[in-house]
Amino acid sequence: MALDQTTPHRRRTVRRLRATSAGLATGALITGLLATPAHAEHGTDTGTGAVIGTVSRTVGQARFVPGPCPKTADPVPALKGARCGTLTVPENRTRRNSRTITLGVAIVRAATSRPKPDPVVWLAGGPGDDAVGEAQMAIDGGLNRDRDVIFMSQRGTYSADPALTCPNIDEFNARAVGLVYDAPSTGRLHVKATRTCRERLASRGADLSAYNDTESAADYADLRVALGIDQWNVFGISYGTHLALIYMRQHPQGIRSVGIDGILPPSKAGSALTWSSARQGFDGLFKACAQQPTCNRRYPHLPATFERLVRKLEAHPVTTTVTVPGRPTPVKVVLDGGALVNWMTSATHVAPGVPRSLDELAHGKPQRIAEQWAGGKLSPQAIGRTAHGLAYGVFCSEWVPYESRAEAIRGGQAAFPSFPRSVLAQAPQLTFLRPDCGVWNVPVAPRSIRNVTRSDIPTLALSGGFDSQTGAANGPYVARRLSRSTVVTVPYEPHVVFATSRCAQEITASFLNTPTAPKTGCLTDLKAPRFETGP
């Protein structure tokens, strides 16, 4: 389970609300390079004459030790020459005799030989993605132009110890492309996979109640001090924005600025919000097609076509077979209304092809959508990398207890009043979440976890006009209580604009240099993508 789902036929960028999301490779594990010796480094000085990440330090119950770079599922060229190590912290700070866990740390040096004194720390998507594995995205976007960038594997994620990954859930999600997406029988199998995952992690000694935002925020606060950093800048994507907003509320000390991209407010997180976000992202794409004469002529009334297809498929699912890369035999795919909604939630990442794909489906040709739907879930990148133990720790302690089933349904009805009840019962990216949490069985987080974040820390709130996972309206919403915030919506972009938009990258660089007055002039030159029109 996690926020971002595997995006059809697009390079992997971020991560999920459901075990497959934003972004689309082999799965062989590798061990990173040893840290470069301090005498060979240029990098940010901690003020003690030592470069950040080259000195062991214990602060309270946390200890940083330099060492090899964390393992990653795929090679990450950006980590070549990185300074690395581990942060050891208590698993559960509320228990006196808690065991300790270790979190992988990688510090990519600034591109300049004279870096700014305040590095950037990257908070990954998910819940359940590993920040170290996202390092290439950050560096490709130029985040290290003037500053070192720090990546730490959030507790439970792939390069942490323990890693709370559950390949059995990912494997079920892959098999489920051949099942009716939101059928009760599918739900029972899904919950069975979740129970198996929980039992396995608990049998290995994991305290599943300790994998949540409060503990993770404390981990990052400890990391800053253990690295000897006076001030740093926080940049979070997708679910990482949820963690960033809690972190800046619970541990504001030492935070110079905060960038949040693909915003998920903790105070509203849940099923109703995912429906609202889907509506916003879909409408943005449909409007862009309608404003492009060629697309509008070829695919008129696209919103109505989409909603009609959802109703039709929910009543009469379509079964087909497709060829998926890496699979020797054809794969059975079932498309019902719920599957179409969830495909569309990710397909805004490949927006130019969406109108054509929907039109082909409407004319009895489901192959394009079926190939994308199955390809994402059957990709090697979708297996064994997500920390479901962290994802359910967040969802089941912080989200589900504070949103009733009726509130979730009402959120769906408000966004898509024409959808059948069976589709509305399973929010995009959060399918069968409530029964999953019933078997996950972790304590409810204090109600304060849902508080609106109020802060005067300079904040950049970035959103995409096509973002159907964390809608653009979330930017103005969180900014109302962030007194020194800048809200930016980058038109025609999907979830996590930093990954795809040069303009967003320029705005981010400007923000880091002048957090209260970033330059946003590049927004005026942006144009909609040219949509495919097909034969």
Side-chain angles (χ1 to χ4, degrees), residues 78-440:
L79 296 181
K80 185 177 182 179
R83 303 184 297 277
C84 297
T86 56
L87 182 75
T88 301
V89 295
E91 183 176 43
N92 191 330
R93 291 175 174 85
T94 68
R95 296 182 179 176
R96 291 186 58 182
N97 297 316
S98 171
R99 70 173 183 174
T100 58
I101 60 176
T102 59
L103 313 176
V105 178
I107 304 168
V108 176
R109 56 184 164 184
T112 178
S113 61
R114 298 175 63 87
K116 304 287 186 182
D118 45 284
V120 180
V121 62
W122 177 274
L123 304 188
D129 285 353
D130 193 326
V132 180
E134 292 182 349
Q136 197 65 48
M137 185 205 319
I139 303 310
D140 286 349
L143 199 62
N144 69 324
R145 186 177 73 178
D146 300 312
R147 292 168 171 81
D148 290 355
V149 183
I150 301 168
F151 304 89
M152 182 173 75
S153 50
Q154 189 180 350
R155 55 175 49 216
T157 58
Y158 186 86
S159 63
D161 184 14
L164 304 190
T165 56
C166 289
N168 75 294
I169 290 180
D170 304 323
E171 290 161 357
F172 169 76
N173 289 333
R175 295 193 303 272
V177 299
L179 305 175
V180 175
Y181 183 79
D182 51 22
S185 57
T186 304
R188 288 190 291 272
L189 292 171
H190 191 283
V191 174
K192 180 181 178 181
T194 301
R195 181 184 292 107
T196 299
C197 166
R198 189 199 194 285
E199 291 172 350
R200 182 177 65 84
L201 296 179
S203 71
R204 295 182 177 183
D207 181 351
L208 298 178
S209 68
Y211 291 82
N212 55 55
D213 286 307
T214 296
E215 291 286 359
S216 290
D219 294 339
Y220 281 97
D222 282 346
L223 177 67
R224 182 185 65 81
V225 179
L227 289 176
I229 297 170
D230 180 42
Q231 274 197 325
W232 66 6
N233 305 277
V234 176
F235 193 85
I237 63 166
S238 190
Y239 155 74
T241 68
H242 185 282
L243 176 57
L245 288 163
I246 290 174
Y247 171 41
M248 66 192 289
R249 170 156 48 89
Q250 295 182 344
H251 302 278
Q253 303 85 358
I255 301 179
R256 173 179 175 265
S257 73
V258 176
I260 46 178
D261 178 2
I263 301 163
L264 182 62
S267 54
K268 294 177 67 177
S271 296
L273 186 65
T274 66
W275 281 117
S276 170
S277 294
R279 176 88 268 177
Q280 293 173 58
F282 299 172
D283 284 352
L285 190 156
F286 293 150
K287 181 178 179 181
C289 173
Q291 292 177 337
Q292 198 169 103
T294 302
C295 187
N296 190 44
R297 284 195 301 270
R298 182 68 179 83
Y299 310 115
H301 315 300
L302 201 57
T305 298
F306 170 68
E307 296 198 22
R308 176 173 56 81
L309 284 169
V310 170
R311 296 191 299 271
K312 180 179 178 181
L313 289 175
E314 190 66 6
H316 305 287
V318 168
T319 300
T320 187
T321 57
V322 298
T323 301
V324 175
R327 296 276 169 164
T329 57
V331 174
K332 174 187 172 183
V333 178
V334 176
L335 294 177
D336 65 349
L340 183 62
V341 171
N342 279 267
W343 166 82
M344 183 70 180
T345 303
S346 291
T348 50
H349 286 273
V350 287
V354 167
R356 179 181 177 182
S357 295
L358 290 173
D359 184 71
E360 288 186 1
L361 180 61
H363 287 86
K365 299 176 181 179
Q367 280 70 30
R368 276 169 60 100
I369 290 177
E371 286 173 1
Q372 292 178 351
W373 178 239
K377 293 200 172 189
L378 293 168
S379 165
Q381 292 180 322
I383 308 296
R385 305 186 182 196
T386 301
H388 295 279
L390 173 61
Y392 283 123
V394 173
F395 295 146
C396 300
S397 69
E398 303 174 24
W399 292 21
V400 167
Y402 295 107
E403 179 183 58
S404 69
R405 188 187 304 273
E407 288 171 330
I409 293 290
R410 285 198 296 271
Q413 290 172 329
F416 296 97
S418 74
F419 281 5
R421 178 87 178 189
S422 56
V423 173
L424 296 175
Q426 308 299 336
Q429 310 173 82
L430 295 174
T431 315
F432 305 115
L433 179 58
R434 192 167 294 276
D436 280 341
C437 286
V439 301
W440 201 255

